[in-house]
Amino acid sequence: MRFATHSPRKQRGLGLLSLLFVGGTLVVVGLIGLQAFPSVLEYIAVKRAVDKASREGDNAATIAASFDRSAAIDDITSLTGKDLLVEKDAQGALRVSFAYDKRIPLAGPAVLLLEYKGSAKR
């Protein structure tokens, strides 16, 4: 009985070291993503609260108060109503904008910096 032997050049697939490298890379990217996910959810809540506040308010004080009420409900801690920039454009329309940074410590001196900004127009 004769067994068929294949030369190594015709074999396909990942070797053990390649598998460990790919798996390790996926784990690191997944862990960073899991740490950044709550920050992204908070940004979505901030954007929704700014949109709502820009529709409800006529001036900076009422817009800030409306945002603070929404921030208390949605547990927004990165931004307050005082941090919002309220401007009127040439046509008299209100524009509410915001910008903030979120730093997420990774390991040792490594930090993930996420820069968020957005605006709403009424």
Side-chain angles (χ1 to χ4, degrees), residues 61-89:
T62 57
I63 289 172
S66 176
F67 178 83
D68 286 337
R69 283 192 301 274
S70 294
I73 293 169
D74 290 334
D75 195 30
I76 297 171
T77 58
S78 297
L79 204 59
T80 65
K82 292 184 271 184
D83 299 325
L84 300 177
L85 178 61
V86 180
E87 303 171 311
K88 282 195 176 187
D89 62 7

Short mmCIF file of all heavy atoms in Angstrom, two decimals, residues 61-89:
data_model
loop_
_atom_site.label_atom_id
_atom_site.label_comp_id
_atom_site.label_asym_id
_atom_site.label_seq_id
_atom_site.Cartn_x
_atom_site.Cartn_y
_atom_site.Cartn_z
N ALA A 61 -29.22 80.32 26.88
CA ALA A 61 -29.60 79.86 28.22
C ALA A 61 -30.64 78.74 28.16
O ALA A 61 -30.52 77.73 28.87
CB ALA A 61 -30.12 81.02 29.05
N THR A 62 -31.66 78.89 27.34
CA THR A 62 -32.69 77.85 27.26
C THR A 62 -32.16 76.60 26.58
O THR A 62 -32.55 75.49 26.94
CB THR A 62 -33.94 78.37 26.52
OG1 THR A 62 -33.56 78.81 25.21
CG2 THR A 62 -34.62 79.48 27.29
N ILE A 63 -31.27 76.77 25.61
CA ILE A 63 -30.67 75.61 24.95
C ILE A 63 -29.79 74.84 25.94
O ILE A 63 -29.84 73.61 26.00
CB ILE A 63 -29.88 76.05 23.70
CG1 ILE A 63 -30.86 76.49 22.62
CG2 ILE A 63 -28.99 74.93 23.19
CD1 ILE A 63 -30.22 77.12 21.41
N ALA A 64 -29.00 75.56 26.74
CA ALA A 64 -28.14 74.91 27.73
C ALA A 64 -28.98 74.19 28.78
O ALA A 64 -28.65 73.06 29.18
CB ALA A 64 -27.23 75.94 28.40
N ALA A 65 -30.08 74.80 29.23
CA ALA A 65 -30.94 74.16 30.22
C ALA A 65 -31.59 72.90 29.65
O ALA A 65 -31.66 71.87 30.33
CB ALA A 65 -32.00 75.14 30.69
N SER A 66 -32.04 72.97 28.41
CA SER A 66 -32.64 71.80 27.77
C SER A 66 -31.62 70.68 27.60
O SER A 66 -31.94 69.50 27.85
CB SER A 66 -33.21 72.19 26.41
OG SER A 66 -33.71 71.07 25.74
N PHE A 67 -30.40 71.03 27.22
CA PHE A 67 -29.35 70.02 27.08
C PHE A 67 -29.03 69.38 28.42
O PHE A 67 -28.87 68.16 28.50
CB PHE A 67 -28.08 70.62 26.47
CG PHE A 67 -26.96 69.63 26.35
CD1 PHE A 67 -26.90 68.77 25.27
CD2 PHE A 67 -25.99 69.53 27.32
CE1 PHE A 67 -25.89 67.83 25.17
CE2 PHE A 67 -24.97 68.60 27.23
CZ PHE A 67 -24.93 67.74 26.14
N ASP A 68 -28.94 70.20 29.48
CA ASP A 68 -28.63 69.65 30.80
C ASP A 68 -29.70 68.68 31.29
O ASP A 68 -29.40 67.68 31.94
CB ASP A 68 -28.43 70.79 31.80
CG ASP A 68 -27.10 71.51 31.60
OD1 ASP A 68 -26.17 70.90 31.03
OD2 ASP A 68 -26.99 72.68 32.01
N ARG A 69 -30.97 68.96 30.98
CA ARG A 69 -32.05 68.03 31.35
C ARG A 69 -31.88 66.70 30.61
O ARG A 69 -31.98 65.62 31.20
CB ARG A 69 -33.41 68.63 31.03
CG ARG A 69 -33.88 69.67 32.02
CD ARG A 69 -35.35 70.02 31.83
NE ARG A 69 -35.64 70.54 30.49
CZ ARG A 69 -35.52 71.82 30.11
NH1 ARG A 69 -35.11 72.72 30.99
NH2 ARG A 69 -35.82 72.20 28.89
N SER A 70 -31.59 66.78 29.32
CA SER A 70 -31.37 65.55 28.54
C SER A 70 -30.12 64.81 29.01
O SER A 70 -30.08 63.58 29.03
CB SER A 70 -31.24 65.88 27.05
OG SER A 70 -32.45 66.39 26.56
N ALA A 71 -29.08 65.56 29.37
CA ALA A 71 -27.83 64.95 29.83
C ALA A 71 -28.03 64.20 31.14
O ALA A 71 -27.43 63.15 31.36
CB ALA A 71 -26.75 66.01 29.98
N ALA A 72 -28.89 64.73 32.01
CA ALA A 72 -29.16 64.04 33.27
C ALA A 72 -29.90 62.72 33.03
O ALA A 72 -29.63 61.73 33.70
CB ALA A 72 -29.98 64.95 34.18
N ILE A 73 -30.79 62.71 32.06
CA ILE A 73 -31.55 61.49 31.76
C ILE A 73 -30.67 60.45 31.08
O ILE A 73 -30.69 59.27 31.43
CB ILE A 73 -32.77 61.83 30.87
CG1 ILE A 73 -33.76 62.69 31.66
CG2 ILE A 73 -33.43 60.57 30.35
CD1 ILE A 73 -34.86 63.29 30.82
N ASP A 74 -29.84 60.89 30.11
CA ASP A 74 -29.03 59.96 29.31
C ASP A 74 -27.65 59.70 29.92
O ASP A 74 -26.83 59.03 29.29
CB ASP A 74 -28.85 60.50 27.90
CG ASP A 74 -30.14 60.46 27.10
OD1 ASP A 74 -31.00 59.62 27.42
OD2 ASP A 74 -30.28 61.27 26.16
N ASP A 75 -27.37 60.24 31.10
CA ASP A 75 -26.11 60.04 31.79
C ASP A 75 -24.91 60.49 30.94
O ASP A 75 -23.94 59.78 30.77
CB ASP A 75 -25.95 58.57 32.21
CG ASP A 75 -24.84 58.38 33.23
OD1 ASP A 75 -24.59 59.33 34.01
OD2 ASP A 75 -24.22 57.31 33.25
N ILE A 76 -25.00 61.72 30.43
CA ILE A 76 -23.92 62.32 29.65
C ILE A 76 -23.01 63.04 30.63
O ILE A 76 -23.44 63.96 31.31
CB ILE A 76 -24.47 63.29 28.59
CG1 ILE A 76 -25.34 62.53 27.60
CG2 ILE A 76 -23.34 64.02 27.89
CD1 ILE A 76 -26.11 63.41 26.64
N THR A 77 -21.74 62.65 30.69
CA THR A 77 -20.80 63.25 31.65
C THR A 77 -19.68 64.03 30.98
O THR A 77 -18.96 64.76 31.65
CB THR A 77 -20.18 62.16 32.53
OG1 THR A 77 -19.52 61.21 31.70
CG2 THR A 77 -21.24 61.47 33.37
N SER A 78 -19.50 63.89 29.68
CA SER A 78 -18.38 64.53 28.99
C SER A 78 -18.63 65.98 28.63
O SER A 78 -17.70 66.70 28.30
CB SER A 78 -18.05 63.77 27.71
OG SER A 78 -17.65 62.47 28.00
N LEU A 79 -19.86 66.42 28.70
CA LEU A 79 -20.24 67.73 28.20
C LEU A 79 -21.38 68.28 29.05
O LEU A 79 -22.22 67.52 29.53
CB LEU A 79 -20.71 67.54 26.75
CG LEU A 79 -20.68 68.67 25.76
CD1 LEU A 79 -19.28 69.21 25.59
CD2 LEU A 79 -21.20 68.19 24.43
N THR A 80 -21.41 69.60 29.23
CA THR A 80 -22.53 70.26 29.91
C THR A 80 -23.13 71.31 28.99
O THR A 80 -22.56 71.61 27.94
CB THR A 80 -22.08 70.93 31.23
OG1 THR A 80 -21.17 71.99 30.92
CG2 THR A 80 -21.42 69.93 32.18
N GLY A 81 -24.22 71.87 29.40
CA GLY A 81 -24.86 72.92 28.60
C GLY A 81 -23.98 74.14 28.41
O GLY A 81 -24.08 74.83 27.40
N LYS A 82 -23.11 74.42 29.38
CA LYS A 82 -22.20 75.56 29.26
C LYS A 82 -21.14 75.35 28.19
O LYS A 82 -20.56 76.31 27.69
CB LYS A 82 -21.51 75.84 30.60
CG LYS A 82 -22.46 76.35 31.68
CD LYS A 82 -21.69 76.69 32.92
CE LYS A 82 -21.59 75.44 33.76
NZ LYS A 82 -20.96 75.65 35.06
N ASP A 83 -20.88 74.10 27.82
CA ASP A 83 -19.87 73.80 26.80
C ASP A 83 -20.38 73.95 25.38
O ASP A 83 -19.59 73.89 24.43
CB ASP A 83 -19.35 72.37 26.99
CG ASP A 83 -18.70 72.18 28.34
OD1 ASP A 83 -18.06 73.13 28.84
OD2 ASP A 83 -18.83 71.08 28.91
N LEU A 84 -21.67 74.15 25.20
CA LEU A 84 -22.25 74.28 23.86
C LEU A 84 -21.98 75.68 23.32
O LEU A 84 -22.04 76.67 24.05
CB LEU A 84 -23.75 74.02 23.89
CG LEU A 84 -24.20 72.65 24.37
CD1 LEU A 84 -25.71 72.59 24.42
CD2 LEU A 84 -23.65 71.56 23.49
N LEU A 85 -21.72 75.77 22.04
CA LEU A 85 -21.51 77.05 21.37
C LEU A 85 -22.77 77.36 20.56
O LEU A 85 -23.11 76.61 19.64
CB LEU A 85 -20.28 76.98 20.47
CG LEU A 85 -19.95 78.23 19.66
CD1 LEU A 85 -19.65 79.40 20.61
CD2 LEU A 85 -18.78 77.97 18.76
N VAL A 86 -23.46 78.45 20.92
CA VAL A 86 -24.70 78.83 20.25
C VAL A 86 -24.42 80.10 19.45
O VAL A 86 -23.99 81.11 20.00
CB VAL A 86 -25.84 79.07 21.27
CG1 VAL A 86 -27.12 79.46 20.56
CG2 VAL A 86 -26.05 77.83 22.13
N GLU A 87 -24.67 80.03 18.14
CA GLU A 87 -24.41 81.16 17.25
C GLU A 87 -25.62 81.37 16.33
O GLU A 87 -26.36 80.44 16.05
CB GLU A 87 -23.19 80.89 16.36
CG GLU A 87 -21.93 80.60 17.10
CD GLU A 87 -20.83 80.14 16.16
OE1 GLU A 87 -21.08 79.24 15.33
OE2 GLU A 87 -19.73 80.70 16.27
N LYS A 88 -25.76 82.60 15.86
CA LYS A 88 -26.76 82.91 14.83
C LYS A 88 -26.01 83.19 13.54
O LYS A 88 -25.02 83.91 13.53
CB LYS A 88 -27.59 84.12 15.21
CG LYS A 88 -28.66 83.82 16.22
CD LYS A 88 -29.67 84.91 16.30
CE LYS A 88 -30.75 84.50 17.27
NZ LYS A 88 -31.85 85.43 17.28
N ASP A 89 -26.49 82.60 12.45
CA ASP A 89 -25.84 82.86 11.17
C ASP A 89 -26.44 84.11 10.53
O ASP A 89 -27.27 84.80 11.13
CB ASP A 89 -25.93 81.64 10.25
CG ASP A 89 -27.36 81.25 9.90
OD1 ASP A 89 -28.29 82.00 10.26
OD2 ASP A 89 -27.54 80.20 9.26
#
